[in-house]
Structures are given as structure tokens and as C-alpha cells.
Amino acid sequence: MAEVKWIKFYLDMFDKPKIKKVRRLTAGNELLLIWVMLLVQAGKCNAGGMIYITERFPYTEEDLAEELGFDVNTIRLALKTFEEFDMISTSPEGFID
């Protein structure tokens, strides 16, 4: 599979109701930055949107906190929020998609 060098964003991304709602939450701008960082991680993995350390090892919340430079509680809040808004899903094995 070809290496991904960039990802696209729609110009109206910040006009979307989900994004507006996330931004209004406590730490909403941090959460939105984490979401963008997760999109970049998905591009790095280049596996149809999956995010993982290796194909056999998913990120833990602690791994993501270290990788993205946020405290683990902020990562937990972000992942919970993104799942509630159907922005991500998590497989039973722990892989983020």
C-alpha cells in the first residue's frame, strides 16, 4: 500500500453540528485537536482508518496519552466523546477505527 503523506479536511468542517458541539464542551478545543491528531495517526497507519501501534497491538489510553502529549484523563474523555458522537468506534480487541 502506498504511503500516505497528507489528509484532507473539508472547508466547512467547523460548521458541522458535531464539531460545534464538541468545541462547546469543557476542554472542547483540546478534544478537537485530539480528534485531528487521531485522523493523522489513521493516515500514518494507512489501514482504512484503523489506529494501532502494530497490526497486532492496539493503542491503550495510556499509549495515546504518551503519543499525543495529553494526560490520560483527557484522552479518556476524548475517546468517550468521539464514540458518543459516532466519530470513532472501538473494536472488541481495542482497535480504534
Side-chain angles (χ1 to χ4, degrees), residues 49-62:
M50 295 282 288
I51 299 170
Y52 48 72
I53 296 173
T54 71
E55 291 180 8
R56 292 184 49 221
F57 296 102
Y59 276 106
T60 64
E61 293 169 342
E62 292 79 11

Side-chain angles (χ1 to χ4, degrees), residues 30-94:
E30 281 185 297
L31 300 183
L32 190 57
L33 176 58
I34 291 168
W35 183 64
V36 170
M37 293 173 90
L38 291 176
L39 293 174
V40 170
Q41 278 305 119
K44 287 179 181 179
C45 290
N46 197 16
M50 295 282 288
I51 299 170
Y52 48 72
I53 296 173
T54 71
E55 291 180 8
R56 292 184 49 221
F57 296 102
Y59 276 106
T60 64
E61 293 169 342
E62 292 79 11
D63 294 329
L64 281 173
E66 185 176 322
E67 180 73 23
L68 302 181
F70 289 90
D71 68 76
V72 72
N73 289 326
T74 303
I75 293 295
R76 285 183 184 124
L77 175 61
L79 295 175
K80 179 179 180 252
T81 300
F82 302 152
E83 285 203 75
E84 286 176 2
F85 288 124
D86 294 323
M87 296 165 74
I88 64 168
S89 61
T90 305
S91 73
E93 299 82 20

